[in-house]
Amino acid sequence: MSRKPELRGRAARLARLFPGPTGSGQAARTPFVLLVVLLLGGGLIGLLVLNSALSEGSFKLTDLQKETKSLTDEQQGLQRDIDAYSAPEALVRRARELGMVPGGDPAFLGPDGTVKGVPSPASDAEPASFQMPLVLAPEVIDSATVPTETVVPAPEAVPSVVPPPTTPTPGR
């Protein structure tokens, strides 16, 4: 090993002011090592928290997608029910169940009071096309058997004006 040359004059005075590397090098490295370890540990903890937050968001997204799918399926089922109820054949069937009959040929009144067309009364005869609807309502689809068509007789002629009930008045 070679020996370092001795310092003289001004350099010697400066060397005395600043202590040399005699055992203090290890002490100066300790804060730097602690700082690096703390930064690495903080970075790892930050990555762990970020990863947990991302996976939690992924689980929430999956749950929301499942809920959206189930709600979409329910909405489509309800739309099918609405379409089945509003189909012309289903409306005719429901009208028959309520005792309604198809109207006859209409007649029109002109602005001068003349009658255009020949009116005809509604008939109870059912055309073959109205006997069984092509599109069934959901309650018919759900049941195992198709119910037989029940014919509700049309109400007989009902007087248009019903007289008020007569009650005897006392004292007259």
Side-chain angles (χ1 to χ4, degrees), residues 83-143:
D83 291 343
Y85 281 120
S86 63
E89 294 84 9
L91 290 175
V92 167
R93 183 183 51 78
R94 288 287 296 145
R96 291 236 178 253
E97 288 174 1
L98 293 173
M100 298 178 169
V101 294
D105 293 330
F108 300 97
L109 290 177
D112 57 350
T114 60
V115 178
K116 296 181 182 179
V118 179
S120 65
S123 64
D124 284 337
E126 266 188 47
S129 64
F130 293 131
Q131 288 179 358
M132 186 63 179
L134 297 176
V135 177
L136 300 175
E139 67 267 6
V140 176
I141 294 172
D142 291 340
S143 65

Tab-separated table of all heavy atoms in Angstrom, residues 83-143:
chain	number	residue	atom	x	y	z
A	83	ASP	N	-96.333	-6.830	-26.391
A	83	ASP	CA	-96.593	-7.111	-27.807
A	83	ASP	C	-97.687	-8.168	-27.964
A	83	ASP	O	-98.527	-8.078	-28.856
A	83	ASP	CB	-95.310	-7.573	-28.500
A	83	ASP	CG	-94.285	-6.455	-28.621
A	83	ASP	OD1	-94.665	-5.270	-28.481
A	83	ASP	OD2	-93.097	-6.758	-28.837
A	84	ALA	N	-97.671	-9.178	-27.080
A	84	ALA	CA	-98.688	-10.229	-27.175
A	84	ALA	C	-100.067	-9.682	-26.825
A	84	ALA	O	-101.060	-10.032	-27.464
A	84	ALA	CB	-98.332	-11.389	-26.250
A	85	TYR	N	-100.140	-8.810	-25.826
A	85	TYR	CA	-101.435	-8.229	-25.455
A	85	TYR	C	-101.946	-7.244	-26.495
A	85	TYR	O	-103.143	-7.072	-26.648
A	85	TYR	CB	-101.342	-7.511	-24.107
A	85	TYR	CG	-101.392	-8.422	-22.920
A	85	TYR	CD1	-100.345	-8.464	-22.016
A	85	TYR	CD2	-102.483	-9.249	-22.692
A	85	TYR	CE1	-100.382	-9.294	-20.914
A	85	TYR	CE2	-102.533	-10.085	-21.598
A	85	TYR	CZ	-101.479	-10.104	-20.715
A	85	TYR	OH	-101.517	-10.929	-19.624
A	86	SER	N	-101.055	-6.567	-27.195
A	86	SER	CA	-101.503	-5.549	-28.145
A	86	SER	C	-101.632	-6.078	-29.574
A	86	SER	O	-101.957	-5.308	-30.473
A	86	SER	CB	-100.541	-4.355	-28.125
A	86	SER	OG	-99.253	-4.763	-28.539
A	87	ALA	N	-101.391	-7.349	-29.792
A	87	ALA	CA	-101.576	-7.931	-31.127
A	87	ALA	C	-103.070	-7.900	-31.476
A	87	ALA	O	-103.924	-8.077	-30.605
A	87	ALA	CB	-101.061	-9.365	-31.154
A	88	PRO	N	-103.400	-7.653	-32.724
A	88	PRO	CA	-104.813	-7.560	-33.103
A	88	PRO	C	-105.621	-8.801	-32.736
A	88	PRO	O	-106.748	-8.683	-32.259
A	88	PRO	CB	-104.770	-7.358	-34.620
A	88	PRO	CG	-103.427	-6.808	-34.896
A	88	PRO	CD	-102.519	-7.360	-33.848
A	89	GLU	N	-105.054	-9.980	-32.927
A	89	GLU	CA	-105.791	-11.205	-32.620
A	89	GLU	C	-106.071	-11.310	-31.122
A	89	GLU	O	-107.144	-11.744	-30.704
A	89	GLU	CB	-105.010	-12.430	-33.100
A	89	GLU	CG	-104.864	-12.533	-34.606
A	89	GLU	CD	-103.688	-11.697	-35.126
A	89	GLU	OE1	-102.902	-11.175	-34.314
A	89	GLU	OE2	-103.573	-11.561	-36.342
A	90	ALA	N	-105.099	-10.909	-30.294
A	90	ALA	CA	-105.303	-10.955	-28.849
A	90	ALA	C	-106.351	-9.929	-28.432
A	90	ALA	O	-107.158	-10.189	-27.523
A	90	ALA	CB	-103.988	-10.707	-28.118
A	91	LEU	N	-106.356	-8.777	-29.075
A	91	LEU	CA	-107.369	-7.767	-28.757
A	91	LEU	C	-108.767	-8.259	-29.116
A	91	LEU	O	-109.726	-8.038	-28.378
A	91	LEU	CB	-107.060	-6.456	-29.485
A	91	LEU	CG	-105.831	-5.697	-28.982
A	91	LEU	CD1	-105.571	-4.479	-29.864
A	91	LEU	CD2	-105.990	-5.286	-27.541
A	92	VAL	N	-108.877	-8.944	-30.253
A	92	VAL	CA	-110.177	-9.497	-30.657
A	92	VAL	C	-110.628	-10.543	-29.640
A	92	VAL	O	-111.792	-10.570	-29.221
A	92	VAL	CB	-110.079	-10.104	-32.079
A	92	VAL	CG1	-111.294	-10.953	-32.393
A	92	VAL	CG2	-109.916	-9.006	-33.100
A	93	ARG	N	-109.708	-11.407	-29.203
A	93	ARG	CA	-110.054	-12.442	-28.243
A	93	ARG	C	-110.516	-11.819	-26.926
A	93	ARG	O	-111.519	-12.223	-26.351
A	93	ARG	CB	-108.857	-13.363	-28.002
A	93	ARG	CG	-109.184	-14.511	-27.047
A	93	ARG	CD	-107.976	-15.376	-26.764
A	93	ARG	NE	-106.815	-14.637	-26.347
A	93	ARG	CZ	-106.631	-14.154	-25.104
A	93	ARG	NH1	-107.537	-14.343	-24.196
A	93	ARG	NH2	-105.538	-13.504	-24.804
A	94	ARG	N	-109.779	-10.822	-26.439
A	94	ARG	CA	-110.166	-10.166	-25.184
A	94	ARG	C	-111.505	-9.446	-25.325
A	94	ARG	O	-112.319	-9.445	-24.406
A	94	ARG	CB	-109.086	-9.164	-24.751
A	94	ARG	CG	-107.827	-9.792	-24.248
A	94	ARG	CD	-107.983	-10.403	-22.883
A	94	ARG	NE	-108.270	-9.353	-21.918
A	94	ARG	CZ	-109.055	-9.492	-20.874
A	94	ARG	NH1	-109.624	-10.636	-20.632
A	94	ARG	NH2	-109.272	-8.497	-20.051
A	95	ALA	N	-111.762	-8.847	-26.500
A	95	ALA	CA	-113.044	-8.173	-26.715
A	95	ALA	C	-114.179	-9.195	-26.678
A	95	ALA	O	-115.238	-8.942	-26.106
A	95	ALA	CB	-113.027	-7.428	-28.047
A	96	ARG	N	-113.968	-10.366	-27.267
A	96	ARG	CA	-114.992	-11.418	-27.244
A	96	ARG	C	-115.238	-11.888	-25.810
A	96	ARG	O	-116.370	-12.152	-25.423
A	96	ARG	CB	-114.568	-12.595	-28.102
A	96	ARG	CG	-114.556	-12.259	-29.560
A	96	ARG	CD	-115.446	-13.232	-30.290
A	96	ARG	NE	-115.454	-12.876	-31.685
A	96	ARG	CZ	-116.489	-12.306	-32.263
A	96	ARG	NH1	-117.563	-12.050	-31.584
A	96	ARG	NH2	-116.452	-11.992	-33.537
A	97	GLU	N	-114.145	-12.011	-25.020
A	97	GLU	CA	-114.300	-12.420	-23.624
A	97	GLU	C	-115.126	-11.405	-22.848
A	97	GLU	O	-115.826	-11.766	-21.908
A	97	GLU	CB	-112.929	-12.592	-22.965
A	97	GLU	CG	-112.165	-13.801	-23.432
A	97	GLU	CD	-110.751	-13.856	-22.856
A	97	GLU	OE1	-110.381	-12.952	-22.068
A	97	GLU	OE2	-110.019	-14.787	-23.217
A	98	LEU	N	-115.046	-10.141	-23.222
A	98	LEU	CA	-115.808	-9.100	-22.544
A	98	LEU	C	-117.222	-8.956	-23.096
A	98	LEU	O	-117.973	-8.090	-22.654
A	98	LEU	CB	-115.068	-7.757	-22.663
A	98	LEU	CG	-113.741	-7.683	-21.908
A	98	LEU	CD1	-113.015	-6.385	-22.229
A	98	LEU	CD2	-113.970	-7.808	-20.421
A	99	GLY	N	-117.569	-9.761	-24.090
A	99	GLY	CA	-118.923	-9.742	-24.631
A	99	GLY	C	-119.103	-8.794	-25.806
A	99	GLY	O	-120.227	-8.539	-26.213
A	100	MET	N	-118.048	-8.275	-26.353
A	100	MET	CA	-118.159	-7.377	-27.494
A	100	MET	C	-118.298	-8.185	-28.777
A	100	MET	O	-117.821	-9.317	-28.858
A	100	MET	CB	-116.930	-6.469	-27.573
A	100	MET	CG	-116.744	-5.571	-26.409
A	100	MET	SD	-115.234	-4.636	-26.633
A	100	MET	CE	-115.398	-3.447	-25.348
A	101	VAL	N	-118.955	-7.606	-29.756
A	101	VAL	CA	-119.110	-8.243	-31.063
A	101	VAL	C	-118.657	-7.262	-32.125
A	101	VAL	O	-118.687	-6.052	-31.914
A	101	VAL	CB	-120.587	-8.664	-31.319
A	101	VAL	CG1	-120.998	-9.757	-30.363
A	101	VAL	CG2	-121.505	-7.481	-31.222
A	102	PRO	N	-118.212	-7.774	-33.279
A	102	PRO	CA	-117.774	-6.862	-34.344
A	102	PRO	C	-118.954	-6.024	-34.832
A	102	PRO	O	-120.086	-6.494	-34.914
A	102	PRO	CB	-117.268	-7.783	-35.451
A	102	PRO	CG	-117.153	-9.134	-34.851
A	102	PRO	CD	-118.004	-9.160	-33.634
A	103	GLY	N	-118.675	-4.784	-35.146
A	103	GLY	CA	-119.711	-3.877	-35.637
A	103	GLY	C	-120.077	-4.194	-37.079
A	103	GLY	O	-119.330	-4.826	-37.829
A	104	GLY	N	-121.247	-3.747	-37.478
A	104	GLY	CA	-121.691	-3.942	-38.857
A	104	GLY	C	-121.116	-2.855	-39.753
A	104	GLY	O	-120.179	-2.142	-39.391
A	105	ASP	N	-121.696	-2.756	-40.940
A	105	ASP	CA	-121.247	-1.725	-41.868
A	105	ASP	C	-121.655	-0.358	-41.332
A	105	ASP	O	-122.800	-0.150	-40.927
A	105	ASP	CB	-121.881	-1.943	-43.251
A	105	ASP	CG	-121.367	-3.210	-43.904
A	105	ASP	OD1	-120.201	-3.563	-43.621
A	105	ASP	OD2	-122.115	-3.848	-44.667
A	106	PRO	N	-120.755	0.601	-41.349
A	106	PRO	CA	-121.107	1.913	-40.813
A	106	PRO	C	-121.855	2.754	-41.853
A	106	PRO	O	-121.772	2.519	-43.055
A	106	PRO	CB	-119.752	2.534	-40.500
A	106	PRO	CG	-118.819	1.905	-41.483
A	106	PRO	CD	-119.326	0.504	-41.683
A	107	ALA	N	-122.555	3.720	-41.352
A	107	ALA	CA	-123.193	4.711	-42.201
A	107	ALA	C	-122.668	6.065	-41.762
A	107	ALA	O	-122.340	6.269	-40.585
A	107	ALA	CB	-124.712	4.659	-42.056
A	108	PHE	N	-122.549	6.967	-42.714
A	108	PHE	CA	-121.981	8.279	-42.419
A	108	PHE	C	-123.010	9.365	-42.702
A	108	PHE	O	-123.790	9.263	-43.655
A	108	PHE	CB	-120.733	8.512	-43.276
A	108	PHE	CG	-119.665	7.496	-43.035
A	108	PHE	CD1	-119.526	6.400	-43.880
A	108	PHE	CD2	-118.805	7.613	-41.962
A	108	PHE	CE1	-118.542	5.461	-43.654
A	108	PHE	CE2	-117.823	6.674	-41.733
A	108	PHE	CZ	-117.686	5.592	-42.582
A	109	LEU	N	-122.954	10.398	-41.885
A	109	LEU	CA	-123.830	11.545	-42.100
A	109	LEU	C	-123.033	12.627	-42.796
A	109	LEU	O	-121.930	12.974	-42.392
A	109	LEU	CB	-124.364	12.092	-40.771
A	109	LEU	CG	-125.371	11.217	-40.044
A	109	LEU	CD1	-125.748	11.843	-38.712
A	109	LEU	CD2	-126.606	11.020	-40.888
A	110	GLY	N	-123.613	13.157	-43.845
A	110	GLY	CA	-122.977	14.250	-44.555
A	110	GLY	C	-123.240	15.570	-43.838
A	110	GLY	O	-124.076	15.660	-42.937
A	111	PRO	N	-122.555	16.646	-44.232
A	111	PRO	CA	-122.752	17.943	-43.586
A	111	PRO	C	-124.179	18.478	-43.772
A	111	PRO	O	-124.676	19.242	-42.952
A	111	PRO	CB	-121.754	18.865	-44.274
A	111	PRO	CG	-120.893	18.018	-45.130
A	111	PRO	CD	-121.494	16.677	-45.237
A	112	ASP	N	-124.839	18.041	-44.823
A	112	ASP	CA	-126.204	18.519	-45.061
A	112	ASP	C	-127.243	17.605	-44.422
A	112	ASP	O	-128.451	17.822	-44.570
A	112	ASP	CB	-126.467	18.641	-46.565
A	112	ASP	CG	-126.240	17.321	-47.290
A	112	ASP	OD1	-125.710	16.377	-46.669
A	112	ASP	OD2	-126.597	17.244	-48.478
A	113	GLY	N	-126.822	16.553	-43.701
A	113	GLY	CA	-127.749	15.671	-43.008
A	113	GLY	C	-128.126	14.439	-43.789
A	113	GLY	O	-128.953	13.651	-43.334
A	114	THR	N	-127.555	14.233	-44.958
A	114	THR	CA	-127.876	13.033	-45.744
A	114	THR	C	-127.087	11.846	-45.211
A	114	THR	O	-125.979	11.987	-44.710
A	114	THR	CB	-127.533	13.242	-47.233
A	114	THR	OG1	-126.138	13.523	-47.333
A	114	THR	CG2	-128.337	14.380	-47.824
A	115	VAL	N	-127.665	10.678	-45.306
A	115	VAL	CA	-127.025	9.453	-44.850
A	115	VAL	C	-126.325	8.817	-46.030
A	115	VAL	O	-126.919	8.580	-47.082
A	115	VAL	CB	-128.066	8.477	-44.251
A	115	VAL	CG1	-127.406	7.171	-43.828
A	115	VAL	CG2	-128.787	9.119	-43.096
A	116	LYS	N	-125.041	8.527	-45.850
A	116	LYS	CA	-124.266	7.873	-46.908
A	116	LYS	C	-123.952	6.464	-46.443
A	116	LYS	O	-123.404	6.253	-45.370
A	116	LYS	CB	-122.969	8.630	-47.166
A	116	LYS	CG	-123.208	10.021	-47.690
A	116	LYS	CD	-121.893	10.724	-47.954
A	116	LYS	CE	-122.181	12.136	-48.433
A	116	LYS	NZ	-120.975	12.882	-48.687
A	117	GLY	N	-124.274	5.479	-47.229
A	117	GLY	CA	-124.045	4.088	-46.886
A	117	GLY	C	-125.296	3.465	-46.303
A	117	GLY	O	-126.280	4.129	-46.004
A	118	VAL	N	-125.254	2.152	-46.170
A	118	VAL	CA	-126.394	1.425	-45.618
A	118	VAL	C	-125.948	0.838	-44.284
A	118	VAL	O	-125.087	-0.048	-44.246
A	118	VAL	CB	-126.841	0.306	-46.578
A	118	VAL	CG1	-128.010	-0.479	-45.990
A	118	VAL	CG2	-127.198	0.882	-47.930
A	119	PRO	N	-126.497	1.306	-43.180
A	119	PRO	CA	-126.071	0.771	-41.888
A	119	PRO	C	-126.615	-0.633	-41.679
A	119	PRO	O	-127.673	-0.983	-42.182
A	119	PRO	CB	-126.671	1.750	-40.889
A	119	PRO	CG	-127.837	2.348	-41.587
A	119	PRO	CD	-127.488	2.377	-43.053
A	120	SER	N	-125.847	-1.416	-40.956
A	120	SER	CA	-126.325	-2.757	-40.613
A	120	SER	C	-125.997	-2.997	-39.144
A	120	SER	O	-124.993	-2.507	-38.628
A	120	SER	CB	-125.673	-3.818	-41.501
A	120	SER	OG	-124.288	-3.866	-41.262
A	121	PRO	N	-126.826	-3.774	-38.465
A	121	PRO	CA	-126.580	-4.026	-37.041
A	121	PRO	C	-125.392	-4.976	-36.856
A	121	PRO	O	-125.003	-5.701	-37.765
A	121	PRO	CB	-127.876	-4.667	-36.565
A	121	PRO	CG	-128.459	-5.291	-37.784
A	121	PRO	CD	-128.058	-4.407	-38.940
A	122	ALA	N	-124.825	-4.944	-35.669
A	122	ALA	CA	-123.738	-5.866	-35.346
A	122	ALA	C	-124.307	-7.267	-35.273
A	122	ALA	O	-125.428	-7.498	-34.845
A	122	ALA	CB	-123.114	-5.486	-34.005
A	123	SER	N	-123.509	-8.224	-35.718
A	123	SER	CA	-123.994	-9.606	-35.733
A	123	SER	C	-123.239	-10.415	-34.687
A	123	SER	O	-122.099	-10.118	-34.345
A	123	SER	CB	-123.787	-10.213	-37.120
A	123	SER	OG	-122.411	-10.289	-37.399
A	124	ASP	N	-123.908	-11.478	-34.201
A	124	ASP	CA	-123.258	-12.360	-33.238
A	124	ASP	C	-122.464	-13.460	-33.922
A	124	ASP	O	-121.738	-14.190	-33.262
A	124	ASP	CB	-124.315	-13.012	-32.330
A	124	ASP	CG	-124.829	-12.037	-31.291
A	124	ASP	OD1	-124.107	-11.064	-30.994
A	124	ASP	OD2	-125.940	-12.253	-30.777
A	125	ALA	N	-122.613	-13.593	-35.225
A	125	ALA	CA	-121.914	-14.661	-35.931
A	125	ALA	C	-120.420	-14.361	-35.929
A	125	ALA	O	-119.984	-13.265	-36.237
A	125	ALA	CB	-122.429	-14.767	-37.362
A	126	GLU	N	-119.636	-15.373	-35.589
A	126	GLU	CA	-118.193	-15.210	-35.543
A	126	GLU	C	-117.583	-15.671	-36.849
A	126	GLU	O	-117.759	-16.807	-37.252
A	126	GLU	CB	-117.596	-16.074	-34.428
A	126	GLU	CG	-117.410	-15.360	-33.152
A	126	GLU	CD	-116.633	-16.219	-32.172
A	126	GLU	OE1	-115.603	-16.799	-32.535
A	126	GLU	OE2	-117.086	-16.297	-31.040
A	127	PRO	N	-116.823	-14.823	-37.516
A	127	PRO	CA	-116.087	-15.305	-38.694
A	127	PRO	C	-115.017	-16.304	-38.248
A	127	PRO	O	-114.580	-16.285	-37.098
A	127	PRO	CB	-115.440	-14.048	-39.263
A	127	PRO	CG	-116.116	-12.894	-38.595
A	127	PRO	CD	-116.706	-13.395	-37.332
A	128	ALA	N	-114.626	-17.161	-39.148
A	128	ALA	CA	-113.646	-18.206	-38.828
A	128	ALA	C	-112.315	-17.606	-38.397
A	128	ALA	O	-111.588	-18.190	-37.604
A	128	ALA	CB	-113.449	-19.122	-40.033
A	129	SER	N	-111.966	-16.419	-38.905
A	129	SER	CA	-110.674	-15.822	-38.574
A	129	SER	C	-110.628	-15.324	-37.137
A	129	SER	O	-109.556	-15.103	-36.601
A	129	SER	CB	-110.370	-14.668	-39.532
A	129	SER	OG	-111.339	-13.646	-39.355
A	130	PHE	N	-111.799	-15.150	-36.481
A	130	PHE	CA	-111.796	-14.633	-35.123
A	130	PHE	C	-111.924	-15.732	-34.073
A	130	PHE	O	-111.989	-15.451	-32.902
A	130	PHE	CB	-112.945	-13.639	-34.924
A	130	PHE	CG	-112.780	-12.384	-35.721
A	130	PHE	CD1	-113.811	-11.900	-36.495
A	130	PHE	CD2	-111.589	-11.689	-35.699
A	130	PHE	CE1	-113.663	-10.741	-37.227
A	130	PHE	CE2	-111.432	-10.523	-36.414
A	130	PHE	CZ	-112.466	-10.055	-37.187
A	131	GLN	N	-111.970	-16.987	-34.475
A	131	GLN	CA	-112.199	-18.048	-33.502
A	131	GLN	C	-110.985	-18.280	-32.604
A	131	GLN	O	-111.116	-18.366	-31.410
A	131	GLN	CB	-112.601	-19.336	-34.208
A	131	GLN	CG	-114.008	-19.233	-34.768
A	131	GLN	CD	-114.403	-20.489	-35.497
A	131	GLN	OE1	-113.619	-21.414	-35.626
A	131	GLN	NE2	-115.625	-20.524	-35.985
A	132	MET	N	-109.806	-18.385	-33.154
A	132	MET	CA	-108.619	-18.621	-32.339
A	132	MET	C	-107.517	-17.686	-32.814
A	132	MET	O	-107.148	-17.698	-33.979
A	132	MET	CB	-108.171	-20.080	-32.471
A	132	MET	CG	-107.058	-20.448	-31.568
A	132	MET	SD	-107.632	-20.264	-29.872
A	132	MET	CE	-106.199	-20.755	-29.001
A	133	PRO	N	-106.971	-16.866	-31.927
A	133	PRO	CA	-105.935	-15.927	-32.352
A	133	PRO	C	-104.638	-16.652	-32.694
A	133	PRO	O	-104.325	-17.703	-32.123
A	133	PRO	CB	-105.757	-15.024	-31.129
A	133	PRO	CG	-106.252	-15.826	-29.984
A	133	PRO	CD	-107.305	-16.735	-30.534
A	134	LEU	N	-103.900	-16.065	-33.630
A	134	LEU	CA	-102.610	-16.633	-34.003
A	134	LEU	C	-101.557	-16.327	-32.942
A	134	LEU	O	-100.685	-17.133	-32.669
A	134	LEU	CB	-102.165	-16.070	-35.358
A	134	LEU	CG	-103.070	-16.419	-36.538
A	134	LEU	CD1	-102.580	-15.721	-37.786
A	134	LEU	CD2	-103.117	-17.914	-36.746
A	135	VAL	N	-101.630	-15.151	-32.348
A	135	VAL	CA	-100.702	-14.778	-31.291
A	135	VAL	C	-101.453	-14.881	-29.986
A	135	VAL	O	-102.473	-14.234	-29.798
A	135	VAL	CB	-100.184	-13.336	-31.494
A	135	VAL	CG1	-99.272	-12.945	-30.354
A	135	VAL	CG2	-99.461	-13.222	-32.813
A	136	LEU	N	-100.956	-15.704	-29.090
A	136	LEU	CA	-101.638	-15.925	-27.828
A	136	LEU	C	-101.093	-14.989	-26.761
A	136	LEU	O	-99.924	-14.646	-26.766
A	136	LEU	CB	-101.453	-17.375	-27.394
A	136	LEU	CG	-101.996	-18.430	-28.366
A	136	LEU	CD1	-101.649	-19.809	-27.873
A	136	LEU	CD2	-103.493	-18.279	-28.522
A	137	ALA	N	-101.944	-14.604	-25.865
A	137	ALA	CA	-101.529	-13.775	-24.738
A	137	ALA	C	-100.672	-14.605	-23.796
A	137	ALA	O	-100.752	-15.833	-23.792
A	137	ALA	CB	-102.760	-13.229	-24.021
A	138	PRO	N	-99.835	-13.974	-22.987
A	138	PRO	CA	-98.923	-14.724	-22.108
A	138	PRO	C	-99.611	-15.677	-21.145
A	138	PRO	O	-99.075	-16.727	-20.847
A	138	PRO	CB	-98.193	-13.624	-21.341
A	138	PRO	CG	-98.275	-12.432	-22.217
A	138	PRO	CD	-99.573	-12.548	-22.958
A	139	GLU	N	-100.808	-15.336	-20.661
A	139	GLU	CA	-101.449	-16.264	-19.722
A	139	GLU	C	-101.869	-17.545	-20.423
A	139	GLU	O	-101.916	-18.604	-19.815
A	139	GLU	CB	-102.642	-15.617	-19.002
A	139	GLU	CG	-103.827	-15.290	-19.891
A	139	GLU	CD	-103.788	-13.877	-20.425
A	139	GLU	OE1	-102.806	-13.189	-20.207
A	139	GLU	OE2	-104.756	-13.482	-21.077
A	140	VAL	N	-102.148	-17.485	-21.726
A	140	VAL	CA	-102.497	-18.690	-22.477
A	140	VAL	C	-101.238	-19.496	-22.765
A	140	VAL	O	-101.234	-20.716	-22.696
A	140	VAL	CB	-103.235	-18.316	-23.784
A	140	VAL	CG1	-103.505	-19.545	-24.622
A	140	VAL	CG2	-104.528	-17.593	-23.466
A	141	ILE	N	-100.147	-18.809	-23.069
A	141	ILE	CA	-98.887	-19.495	-23.357
A	141	ILE	C	-98.395	-20.209	-22.109
A	141	ILE	O	-97.879	-21.320	-22.171
A	141	ILE	CB	-97.838	-18.492	-23.866
A	141	ILE	CG1	-98.275	-17.933	-25.215
A	141	ILE	CG2	-96.474	-19.146	-23.991
A	141	ILE	CD1	-97.406	-16.802	-25.709
A	142	ASP	N	-98.564	-19.582	-20.929
A	142	ASP	CA	-98.073	-20.174	-19.689
A	142	ASP	C	-98.839	-21.433	-19.305
A	142	ASP	O	-98.286	-22.339	-18.701
A	142	ASP	CB	-98.166	-19.157	-18.545
A	142	ASP	CG	-97.167	-18.027	-18.742
A	142	ASP	OD1	-96.193	-18.224	-19.494
A	142	ASP	OD2	-97.370	-16.959	-18.145
A	143	SER	N	-100.116	-21.492	-19.631
A	143	SER	CA	-100.890	-22.669	-19.243
A	143	SER	C	-100.564	-23.836	-20.169
A	143	SER	O	-100.151	-23.667	-21.302
A	143	SER	CB	-102.383	-22.345	-19.288
A	143	SER	OG	-102.771	-22.062	-20.612
